[in-house]
PDB file of all heavy atoms in Angstrom:
ATOM      1  N   LEU A 542     -16.940 -25.498   6.644  1.00 92.00           N
ATOM      2  CA  LEU A 542     -17.562 -25.606   5.329  1.00 92.00           C
ATOM      3  C   LEU A 542     -18.984 -25.114   5.534  1.00 92.00           C
ATOM      4  O   LEU A 542     -19.696 -25.644   6.386  1.00 92.00           O
ATOM      5  CB  LEU A 542     -17.579 -27.077   4.910  1.00 92.00           C
ATOM      6  CG  LEU A 542     -17.190 -27.462   3.507  1.00 92.00           C
ATOM      7  CD1 LEU A 542     -15.764 -27.070   3.234  1.00 92.00           C
ATOM      8  CD2 LEU A 542     -17.383 -28.925   3.296  1.00 92.00           C
ATOM      9  N   GLU A 543     -19.388 -24.121   4.784  1.00 91.00           N
ATOM     10  CA  GLU A 543     -20.690 -23.512   5.016  1.00 91.00           C
ATOM     11  C   GLU A 543     -21.549 -23.564   3.764  1.00 91.00           C
ATOM     12  O   GLU A 543     -21.100 -23.201   2.678  1.00 91.00           O
ATOM     13  CB  GLU A 543     -20.502 -22.056   5.447  1.00 91.00           C
ATOM     14  CG  GLU A 543     -21.795 -21.310   5.686  1.00 91.00           C
ATOM     15  CD  GLU A 543     -21.542 -19.861   6.057  1.00 91.00           C
ATOM     16  OE1 GLU A 543     -20.878 -19.162   5.273  1.00 91.00           O
ATOM     17  OE2 GLU A 543     -22.001 -19.462   7.124  1.00 91.00           O
ATOM     18  N   ARG A 544     -22.778 -24.005   3.945  1.00 91.00           N
ATOM     19  CA  ARG A 544     -23.739 -23.976   2.834  1.00 91.00           C
ATOM     20  C   ARG A 544     -24.321 -22.569   2.799  1.00 91.00           C
ATOM     21  O   ARG A 544     -24.909 -22.104   3.766  1.00 91.00           O
ATOM     22  CB  ARG A 544     -24.837 -25.000   3.057  1.00 91.00           C
ATOM     23  CG  ARG A 544     -25.833 -25.049   1.917  1.00 91.00           C
ATOM     24  CD  ARG A 544     -26.789 -26.173   2.031  1.00 91.00           C
ATOM     25  NE  ARG A 544     -27.393 -26.197   3.357  1.00 91.00           N
ATOM     26  CZ  ARG A 544     -28.312 -27.060   3.704  1.00 91.00           C
ATOM     27  NH1 ARG A 544     -28.719 -27.970   2.862  1.00 91.00           N
ATOM     28  NH2 ARG A 544     -28.825 -27.041   4.918  1.00 91.00           N
ATOM     29  N   THR A 545     -24.116 -21.889   1.686  1.00 85.00           N
ATOM     30  CA  THR A 545     -24.619 -20.526   1.557  1.00 85.00           C
ATOM     31  C   THR A 545     -25.962 -20.548   0.857  1.00 85.00           C
ATOM     32  O   THR A 545     -26.408 -21.585   0.375  1.00 85.00           O
ATOM     33  CB  THR A 545     -23.627 -19.649   0.763  1.00 85.00           C
ATOM     34  OG1 THR A 545     -23.449 -20.217  -0.528  1.00 85.00           O
ATOM     35  CG2 THR A 545     -22.301 -19.555   1.461  1.00 85.00           C
ATOM     36  N   LYS A 546     -26.595 -19.411   0.823  1.00 77.00           N
ATOM     37  CA  LYS A 546     -27.917 -19.331   0.207  1.00 77.00           C
ATOM     38  C   LYS A 546     -27.790 -19.293  -1.313  1.00 77.00           C
ATOM     39  O   LYS A 546     -26.965 -18.574  -1.849  1.00 77.00           O
ATOM     40  CB  LYS A 546     -28.651 -18.093   0.688  1.00 77.00           C
ATOM     41  CG  LYS A 546     -28.977 -18.154   2.153  1.00 77.00           C
ATOM     42  CD  LYS A 546     -29.749 -16.945   2.589  1.00 77.00           C
ATOM     43  CE  LYS A 546     -30.053 -17.057   4.068  1.00 77.00           C
ATOM     44  NZ  LYS A 546     -30.795 -15.923   4.566  1.00 77.00           N
ATOM     45  N   GLY A 547     -28.610 -20.044  -1.981  1.00 75.00           N
ATOM     46  CA  GLY A 547     -28.719 -19.940  -3.421  1.00 75.00           C
ATOM     47  C   GLY A 547     -27.852 -20.872  -4.229  1.00 75.00           C
ATOM     48  O   GLY A 547     -26.659 -20.967  -4.015  1.00 75.00           O
ATOM     49  N   ALA A 548     -28.457 -21.580  -5.123  1.00 82.00           N
ATOM     50  CA  ALA A 548     -27.796 -22.353  -6.171  1.00 82.00           C
ATOM     51  C   ALA A 548     -26.807 -23.408  -5.677  1.00 82.00           C
ATOM     52  O   ALA A 548     -25.907 -23.786  -6.399  1.00 82.00           O
ATOM     53  CB  ALA A 548     -27.113 -21.419  -7.163  1.00 82.00           C
ATOM     54  N   GLY A 549     -26.932 -23.882  -4.456  1.00 89.00           N
ATOM     55  CA  GLY A 549     -26.067 -24.938  -3.952  1.00 89.00           C
ATOM     56  C   GLY A 549     -24.632 -24.520  -3.685  1.00 89.00           C
ATOM     57  O   GLY A 549     -23.727 -25.347  -3.685  1.00 89.00           O
ATOM     58  N   TRP A 550     -24.401 -23.250  -3.456  1.00 94.00           N
ATOM     59  CA  TRP A 550     -23.051 -22.756  -3.218  1.00 94.00           C
ATOM     60  C   TRP A 550     -22.560 -23.163  -1.839  1.00 94.00           C
ATOM     61  O   TRP A 550     -23.316 -23.206  -0.878  1.00 94.00           O
ATOM     62  CB  TRP A 550     -22.986 -21.247  -3.339  1.00 94.00           C
ATOM     63  CG  TRP A 550     -23.152 -20.718  -4.732  1.00 94.00           C
ATOM     64  CD1 TRP A 550     -23.422 -21.439  -5.859  1.00 94.00           C
ATOM     65  CD2 TRP A 550     -23.079 -19.366  -5.140  1.00 94.00           C
ATOM     66  NE1 TRP A 550     -23.521 -20.617  -6.944  1.00 94.00           N
ATOM     67  CE2 TRP A 550     -23.313 -19.326  -6.529  1.00 94.00           C
ATOM     68  CE3 TRP A 550     -22.847 -18.174  -4.476  1.00 94.00           C
ATOM     69  CZ2 TRP A 550     -23.307 -18.143  -7.257  1.00 94.00           C
ATOM     70  CZ3 TRP A 550     -22.843 -16.999  -5.203  1.00 94.00           C
ATOM     71  CH2 TRP A 550     -23.066 -16.995  -6.578  1.00 94.00           C
ATOM     72  N   MET A 551     -21.270 -23.457  -1.755  1.00 95.00           N
ATOM     73  CA  MET A 551     -20.601 -23.821  -0.504  1.00 95.00           C
ATOM     74  C   MET A 551     -19.369 -22.933  -0.354  1.00 95.00           C
ATOM     75  O   MET A 551     -18.666 -22.679  -1.336  1.00 95.00           O
ATOM     76  CB  MET A 551     -20.146 -25.280  -0.535  1.00 95.00           C
ATOM     77  CG  MET A 551     -21.241 -26.305  -0.714  1.00 95.00           C
ATOM     78  SD  MET A 551     -22.286 -26.512   0.717  1.00 95.00           S
ATOM     79  CE  MET A 551     -21.151 -27.145   1.918  1.00 95.00           C
ATOM     80  N   THR A 552     -19.120 -22.465   0.866  1.00 95.00           N
ATOM     81  CA  THR A 552     -17.933 -21.670   1.141  1.00 95.00           C
ATOM     82  C   THR A 552     -16.993 -22.469   2.036  1.00 95.00           C
ATOM     83  O   THR A 552     -17.419 -23.001   3.055  1.00 95.00           O
ATOM     84  CB  THR A 552     -18.285 -20.334   1.824  1.00 95.00           C
ATOM     85  OG1 THR A 552     -19.221 -19.633   1.004  1.00 95.00           O
ATOM     86  CG2 THR A 552     -17.045 -19.475   2.014  1.00 95.00           C
ATOM     87  N   ILE A 553     -15.739 -22.538   1.636  1.00 96.00           N
ATOM     88  CA  ILE A 553     -14.703 -23.219   2.401  1.00 96.00           C
ATOM     89  C   ILE A 553     -13.891 -22.131   3.104  1.00 96.00           C
ATOM     90  O   ILE A 553     -13.357 -21.229   2.450  1.00 96.00           O
ATOM     91  CB  ILE A 553     -13.779 -24.035   1.487  1.00 96.00           C
ATOM     92  CG1 ILE A 553     -14.592 -25.006   0.640  1.00 96.00           C
ATOM     93  CG2 ILE A 553     -12.709 -24.759   2.295  1.00 96.00           C
ATOM     94  CD1 ILE A 553     -13.878 -25.497  -0.593  1.00 96.00           C
ATOM     95  N   TYR A 554     -13.820 -22.192   4.436  1.00 95.00           N
ATOM     96  CA  TYR A 554     -13.039 -21.251   5.242  1.00 95.00           C
ATOM     97  C   TYR A 554     -11.761 -21.956   5.687  1.00 95.00           C
ATOM     98  O   TYR A 554     -11.833 -23.033   6.268  1.00 95.00           O
ATOM     99  CB  TYR A 554     -13.805 -20.844   6.503  1.00 95.00           C
ATOM    100  CG  TYR A 554     -15.042 -20.008   6.272  1.00 95.00           C
ATOM    101  CD1 TYR A 554     -16.218 -20.580   5.816  1.00 95.00           C
ATOM    102  CD2 TYR A 554     -15.036 -18.648   6.556  1.00 95.00           C
ATOM    103  CE1 TYR A 554     -17.358 -19.823   5.627  1.00 95.00           C
ATOM    104  CE2 TYR A 554     -16.172 -17.884   6.378  1.00 95.00           C
ATOM    105  CZ  TYR A 554     -17.326 -18.469   5.910  1.00 95.00           C
ATOM    106  OH  TYR A 554     -18.462 -17.718   5.718  1.00 95.00           O
ATOM    107  N   VAL A 555     -10.620 -21.343   5.422  1.00 95.00           N
ATOM    108  CA  VAL A 555      -9.339 -21.912   5.864  1.00 95.00           C
ATOM    109  C   VAL A 555      -8.535 -20.825   6.560  1.00 95.00           C
ATOM    110  O   VAL A 555      -8.729 -19.638   6.310  1.00 95.00           O
ATOM    111  CB  VAL A 555      -8.519 -22.510   4.695  1.00 95.00           C
ATOM    112  CG1 VAL A 555      -9.268 -23.643   4.027  1.00 95.00           C
ATOM    113  CG2 VAL A 555      -8.138 -21.456   3.674  1.00 95.00           C
ATOM    114  N   ASN A 556      -7.635 -21.250   7.456  1.00 93.00           N
ATOM    115  CA  ASN A 556      -6.741 -20.278   8.076  1.00 93.00           C
ATOM    116  C   ASN A 556      -5.366 -20.882   8.263  1.00 93.00           C
ATOM    117  O   ASN A 556      -5.184 -22.083   8.211  1.00 93.00           O
ATOM    118  CB  ASN A 556      -7.311 -19.728   9.388  1.00 93.00           C
ATOM    119  CG  ASN A 556      -7.662 -20.803  10.372  1.00 93.00           C
ATOM    120  OD1 ASN A 556      -7.046 -21.854  10.409  1.00 93.00           O
ATOM    121  ND2 ASN A 556      -8.659 -20.552  11.200  1.00 93.00           N
ATOM    122  N   GLY A 557      -4.405 -19.986   8.460  1.00 94.00           N
ATOM    123  CA  GLY A 557      -3.020 -20.388   8.621  1.00 94.00           C
ATOM    124  C   GLY A 557      -2.106 -19.223   8.288  1.00 94.00           C
ATOM    125  O   GLY A 557      -2.521 -18.066   8.252  1.00 94.00           O
ATOM    126  N   ASP A 558      -0.854 -19.538   8.015  1.00 94.00           N
ATOM    127  CA  ASP A 558       0.133 -18.550   7.614  1.00 94.00           C
ATOM    128  C   ASP A 558      -0.298 -17.910   6.294  1.00 94.00           C
ATOM    129  O   ASP A 558      -0.890 -18.570   5.437  1.00 94.00           O
ATOM    130  CB  ASP A 558       1.490 -19.245   7.463  1.00 94.00           C
ATOM    131  CG  ASP A 558       2.596 -18.317   7.044  1.00 94.00           C
ATOM    132  OD1 ASP A 558       2.568 -17.144   7.455  1.00 94.00           O
ATOM    133  OD2 ASP A 558       3.489 -18.766   6.305  1.00 94.00           O
ATOM    134  N   VAL A 559       0.001 -16.620   6.105  1.00 95.00           N
ATOM    135  CA  VAL A 559      -0.450 -15.890   4.916  1.00 95.00           C
ATOM    136  C   VAL A 559      -0.027 -16.595   3.621  1.00 95.00           C
ATOM    137  O   VAL A 559      -0.844 -16.810   2.723  1.00 95.00           O
ATOM    138  CB  VAL A 559       0.064 -14.428   4.924  1.00 95.00           C
ATOM    139  CG1 VAL A 559      -0.343 -13.702   3.647  1.00 95.00           C
ATOM    140  CG2 VAL A 559      -0.450 -13.685   6.140  1.00 95.00           C
ATOM    141  N   GLY A 560       1.232 -16.973   3.521  1.00 95.00           N
ATOM    142  CA  GLY A 560       1.723 -17.641   2.306  1.00 95.00           C
ATOM    143  C   GLY A 560       1.046 -18.981   2.071  1.00 95.00           C
ATOM    144  O   GLY A 560       0.703 -19.321   0.936  1.00 95.00           O
ATOM    145  N   ALA A 561       0.835 -19.726   3.148  1.00 96.00           N
ATOM    146  CA  ALA A 561       0.188 -21.039   3.024  1.00 96.00           C
ATOM    147  C   ALA A 561      -1.269 -20.888   2.600  1.00 96.00           C
ATOM    148  O   ALA A 561      -1.762 -21.644   1.755  1.00 96.00           O
ATOM    149  CB  ALA A 561       0.280 -21.793   4.348  1.00 96.00           C
ATOM    150  N   VAL A 562      -1.951 -19.910   3.158  1.00 96.00           N
ATOM    151  CA  VAL A 562      -3.353 -19.679   2.799  1.00 96.00           C
ATOM    152  C   VAL A 562      -3.458 -19.232   1.340  1.00 96.00           C
ATOM    153  O   VAL A 562      -4.328 -19.704   0.601  1.00 96.00           O
ATOM    154  CB  VAL A 562      -4.015 -18.658   3.755  1.00 96.00           C
ATOM    155  CG1 VAL A 562      -5.377 -18.225   3.244  1.00 96.00           C
ATOM    156  CG2 VAL A 562      -4.144 -19.250   5.151  1.00 96.00           C
ATOM    157  N   GLN A 563      -2.555 -18.360   0.907  1.00 97.00           N
ATOM    158  CA  GLN A 563      -2.569 -17.930  -0.493  1.00 97.00           C
ATOM    159  C   GLN A 563      -2.341 -19.106  -1.437  1.00 97.00           C
ATOM    160  O   GLN A 563      -3.028 -19.234  -2.460  1.00 97.00           O
ATOM    161  CB  GLN A 563      -1.519 -16.844  -0.736  1.00 97.00           C
ATOM    162  CG  GLN A 563      -1.905 -15.511  -0.151  1.00 97.00           C
ATOM    163  CD  GLN A 563      -0.818 -14.455  -0.317  1.00 97.00           C
ATOM    164  OE1 GLN A 563       0.371 -14.776  -0.458  1.00 97.00           O
ATOM    165  NE2 GLN A 563      -1.220 -13.194  -0.283  1.00 97.00           N
ATOM    166  N   ALA A 564      -1.399 -19.974  -1.100  1.00 97.00           N
ATOM    167  CA  ALA A 564      -1.130 -21.150  -1.932  1.00 97.00           C
ATOM    168  C   ALA A 564      -2.331 -22.084  -1.956  1.00 97.00           C
ATOM    169  O   ALA A 564      -2.720 -22.595  -3.023  1.00 97.00           O
ATOM    170  CB  ALA A 564       0.101 -21.887  -1.410  1.00 97.00           C
ATOM    171  N   ALA A 565      -2.937 -22.303  -0.796  1.00 97.00           N
ATOM    172  CA  ALA A 565      -4.081 -23.204  -0.715  1.00 97.00           C
ATOM    173  C   ALA A 565      -5.286 -22.655  -1.478  1.00 97.00           C
ATOM    174  O   ALA A 565      -5.968 -23.390  -2.193  1.00 97.00           O
ATOM    175  CB  ALA A 565      -4.454 -23.451   0.742  1.00 97.00           C
ATOM    176  N   VAL A 566      -5.546 -21.358  -1.344  1.00 97.00           N
ATOM    177  CA  VAL A 566      -6.679 -20.741  -2.049  1.00 97.00           C
ATOM    178  C   VAL A 566      -6.442 -20.775  -3.561  1.00 97.00           C
ATOM    179  O   VAL A 566      -7.366 -21.061  -4.330  1.00 97.00           O
ATOM    180  CB  VAL A 566      -6.933 -19.307  -1.529  1.00 97.00           C
ATOM    181  CG1 VAL A 566      -7.890 -18.548  -2.436  1.00 97.00           C
ATOM    182  CG2 VAL A 566      -7.491 -19.363  -0.109  1.00 97.00           C
ATOM    183  N   SER A 567      -5.227 -20.524  -3.987  1.00 97.00           N
ATOM    184  CA  SER A 567      -4.910 -20.606  -5.430  1.00 97.00           C
ATOM    185  C   SER A 567      -5.148 -22.013  -5.955  1.00 97.00           C
ATOM    186  O   SER A 567      -5.712 -22.196  -7.040  1.00 97.00           O
ATOM    187  CB  SER A 567      -3.464 -20.200  -5.685  1.00 97.00           C
ATOM    188  OG  SER A 567      -3.277 -18.845  -5.408  1.00 97.00           O
ATOM    189  N   ASP A 568      -4.716 -23.010  -5.194  1.00 97.00           N
ATOM    190  CA  ASP A 568      -4.935 -24.399  -5.593  1.00 97.00           C
ATOM    191  C   ASP A 568      -6.427 -24.726  -5.601  1.00 97.00           C
ATOM    192  O   ASP A 568      -6.913 -25.357  -6.541  1.00 97.00           O
ATOM    193  CB  ASP A 568      -4.208 -25.352  -4.647  1.00 97.00           C
ATOM    194  CG  ASP A 568      -4.463 -26.799  -5.016  1.00 97.00           C
ATOM    195  OD1 ASP A 568      -3.967 -27.237  -6.078  1.00 97.00           O
ATOM    196  OD2 ASP A 568      -5.194 -27.480  -4.257  1.00 97.00           O
ATOM    197  N   GLY A 569      -7.147 -24.289  -4.579  1.00 96.00           N
ATOM    198  CA  GLY A 569      -8.589 -24.535  -4.518  1.00 96.00           C
ATOM    199  C   GLY A 569      -9.317 -23.905  -5.685  1.00 96.00           C
ATOM    200  O   GLY A 569     -10.214 -24.513  -6.279  1.00 96.00           O
ATOM    201  N   GLN A 570      -8.924 -22.697  -6.027  1.00 97.00           N
ATOM    202  CA  GLN A 570      -9.527 -22.019  -7.171  1.00 97.00           C
ATOM    203  C   GLN A 570      -9.268 -22.794  -8.461  1.00 97.00           C
ATOM    204  O   GLN A 570     -10.169 -22.996  -9.266  1.00 97.00           O
ATOM    205  CB  GLN A 570      -8.986 -20.596  -7.289  1.00 97.00           C
ATOM    206  CG  GLN A 570      -9.568 -19.829  -8.459  1.00 97.00           C
ATOM    207  CD  GLN A 570      -9.116 -18.379  -8.503  1.00 97.00           C
ATOM    208  OE1 GLN A 570      -8.579 -17.853  -7.529  1.00 97.00           O
ATOM    209  NE2 GLN A 570      -9.327 -17.735  -9.627  1.00 97.00           N
ATOM    210  N   ALA A 571      -8.040 -23.243  -8.650  1.00 97.00           N
ATOM    211  CA  ALA A 571      -7.688 -23.999  -9.857  1.00 97.00           C
ATOM    212  C   ALA A 571      -8.479 -25.305  -9.948  1.00 97.00           C
ATOM    213  O   ALA A 571      -8.961 -25.675 -11.023  1.00 97.00           O
ATOM    214  CB  ALA A 571      -6.191 -24.291  -9.875  1.00 97.00           C
ATOM    215  N   MET A 572      -8.623 -25.996  -8.811  1.00 96.00           N
ATOM    216  CA  MET A 572      -9.376 -27.257  -8.805  1.00 96.00           C
ATOM    217  C   MET A 572     -10.846 -27.012  -9.136  1.00 96.00           C
ATOM    218  O   MET A 572     -11.447 -27.765  -9.906  1.00 96.00           O
ATOM    219  CB  MET A 572      -9.261 -27.943  -7.442  1.00 96.00           C
ATOM    220  CG  MET A 572      -7.859 -28.354  -7.057  1.00 96.00           C
ATOM    221  SD  MET A 572      -7.119 -29.536  -8.180  1.00 96.00           S
ATOM    222  CE  MET A 572      -7.939 -30.998  -7.641  1.00 96.00           C
ATOM    223  N   ALA A 573     -11.419 -25.978  -8.559  1.00 96.00           N
ATOM    224  CA  ALA A 573     -12.831 -25.668  -8.812  1.00 96.00           C
ATOM    225  C   ALA A 573     -13.052 -25.204 -10.252  1.00 96.00           C
ATOM    226  O   ALA A 573     -14.058 -25.561 -10.875  1.00 96.00           O
ATOM    227  CB  ALA A 573     -13.314 -24.606  -7.830  1.00 96.00           C
ATOM    228  N   GLU A 574     -12.124 -24.416 -10.780  1.00 97.00           N
ATOM    229  CA  GLU A 574     -12.236 -23.971 -12.172  1.00 97.00           C
ATOM    230  C   GLU A 574     -12.142 -25.144 -13.132  1.00 97.00           C
ATOM    231  O   GLU A 574     -12.846 -25.189 -14.149  1.00 97.00           O
ATOM    232  CB  GLU A 574     -11.168 -22.925 -12.491  1.00 97.00           C
ATOM    233  CG  GLU A 574     -11.464 -21.571 -11.900  1.00 97.00           C
ATOM    234  CD  GLU A 574     -10.346 -20.560 -12.113  1.00 97.00           C
ATOM    235  OE1 GLU A 574      -9.188 -20.961 -12.429  1.00 97.00           O
ATOM    236  OE2 GLU A 574     -10.616 -19.363 -11.934  1.00 97.00           O
ATOM    237  N   ALA A 575     -11.277 -26.106 -12.818  1.00 96.00           N
ATOM    238  CA  ALA A 575     -11.138 -27.298 -13.668  1.00 96.00           C
ATOM    239  C   ALA A 575     -12.438 -28.098 -13.714  1.00 96.00           C
ATOM    240  O   ALA A 575     -12.753 -28.714 -14.730  1.00 96.00           O
ATOM    241  CB  ALA A 575      -9.993 -28.169 -13.167  1.00 96.00           C
ATOM    242  N   ALA A 576     -13.192 -28.064 -12.615  1.00 95.00           N
ATOM    243  CA  ALA A 576     -14.474 -28.769 -12.557  1.00 95.00           C
ATOM    244  C   ALA A 576     -15.631 -27.874 -13.008  1.00 95.00           C
ATOM    245  O   ALA A 576     -16.783 -28.293 -12.981  1.00 95.00           O
ATOM    246  CB  ALA A 576     -14.727 -29.255 -11.133  1.00 95.00           C
ATOM    247  N   ASP A 577     -15.316 -26.641 -13.411  1.00 96.00           N
ATOM    248  CA  ASP A 577     -16.312 -25.650 -13.825  1.00 96.00           C
ATOM    249  C   ASP A 577     -17.332 -25.383 -12.710  1.00 96.00           C
ATOM    250  O   ASP A 577     -18.522 -25.241 -12.967  1.00 96.00           O
ATOM    251  CB  ASP A 577     -17.008 -26.090 -15.121  1.00 96.00           C
ATOM    252  CG  ASP A 577     -17.689 -24.925 -15.826  1.00 96.00           C
ATOM    253  OD1 ASP A 577     -17.222 -23.784 -15.675  1.00 96.00           O
ATOM    254  OD2 ASP A 577     -18.714 -25.162 -16.501  1.00 96.00           O
ATOM    255  N   LYS A 578     -16.836 -25.316 -11.462  1.00 95.00           N
ATOM    256  CA  LYS A 578     -17.698 -25.102 -10.292  1.00 95.00           C
ATOM    257  C   LYS A 578     -17.224 -23.933  -9.430  1.00 95.00           C
ATOM    258  O   LYS A 578     -17.654 -23.780  -8.302  1.00 95.00           O
ATOM    259  CB  LYS A 578     -17.743 -26.369  -9.420  1.00 95.00           C
ATOM    260  CG  LYS A 578     -18.246 -27.598 -10.123  1.00 95.00           C
ATOM    261  CD  LYS A 578     -19.720 -27.522 -10.387  1.00 95.00           C
ATOM    262  CE  LYS A 578     -20.223 -28.815 -11.011  1.00 95.00           C
ATOM    263  NZ  LYS A 578     -21.639 -28.801 -11.247  1.00 95.00           N
ATOM    264  N   PHE A 579     -16.341 -23.096  -9.948  1.00 96.00           N
ATOM    265  CA  PHE A 579     -15.769 -21.992  -9.170  1.00 96.00           C
ATOM    266  C   PHE A 579     -16.711 -20.792  -9.146  1.00 96.00           C
ATOM    267  O   PHE A 579     -17.305 -20.435 -10.162  1.00 96.00           O
ATOM    268  CB  PHE A 579     -14.419 -21.574  -9.770  1.00 96.00           C
ATOM    269  CG  PHE A 579     -13.786 -20.418  -9.073  1.00 96.00           C
ATOM    270  CD1 PHE A 579     -13.236 -20.572  -7.815  1.00 96.00           C
ATOM    271  CD2 PHE A 579     -13.754 -19.166  -9.663  1.00 96.00           C
ATOM    272  CE1 PHE A 579     -12.650 -19.494  -7.153  1.00 96.00           C
ATOM    273  CE2 PHE A 579     -13.170 -18.089  -9.020  1.00 96.00           C
ATOM    274  CZ  PHE A 579     -12.619 -18.255  -7.768  1.00 96.00           C
ATOM    275  N   VAL A 580     -16.834 -20.151  -7.972  1.00 95.00           N
ATOM    276  CA  VAL A 580     -17.641 -18.941  -7.826  1.00 95.00           C
ATOM    277  C   VAL A 580     -16.723 -17.749  -7.523  1.00 95.00           C
ATOM    278  O   VAL A 580     -16.650 -16.808  -8.298  1.00 95.00           O
ATOM    279  CB  VAL A 580     -18.714 -19.099  -6.729  1.00 95.00           C
ATOM    280  CG1 VAL A 580     -19.501 -17.809  -6.550  1.00 95.00           C
ATOM    281  CG2 VAL A 580     -19.650 -20.252  -7.054  1.00 95.00           C
ATOM    282  N   THR A 581     -16.010 -17.789  -6.378  1.00 96.00           N
ATOM    283  CA  THR A 581     -15.102 -16.709  -6.015  1.00 96.00           C
ATOM    284  C   THR A 581     -14.105 -17.186  -4.954  1.00 96.00           C
ATOM    285  O   THR A 581     -14.328 -18.219  -4.324  1.00 96.00           O
ATOM    286  CB  THR A 581     -15.873 -15.475  -5.492  1.00 96.00           C
ATOM    287  OG1 THR A 581     -14.978 -14.373  -5.360  1.00 96.00           O
ATOM    288  CG2 THR A 581     -16.552 -15.747  -4.168  1.00 96.00           C
TER     289      THR A 581
END
């Protein structure tokens, strides 16, 4: 988990199988969008 420069942004780095990472990133994006805190 990395604190990036500017506006309190945090980057979450994950690794694993391609399908599992895609599923996890999609879920993470949905959770962040629901909280109106998603960047990229």
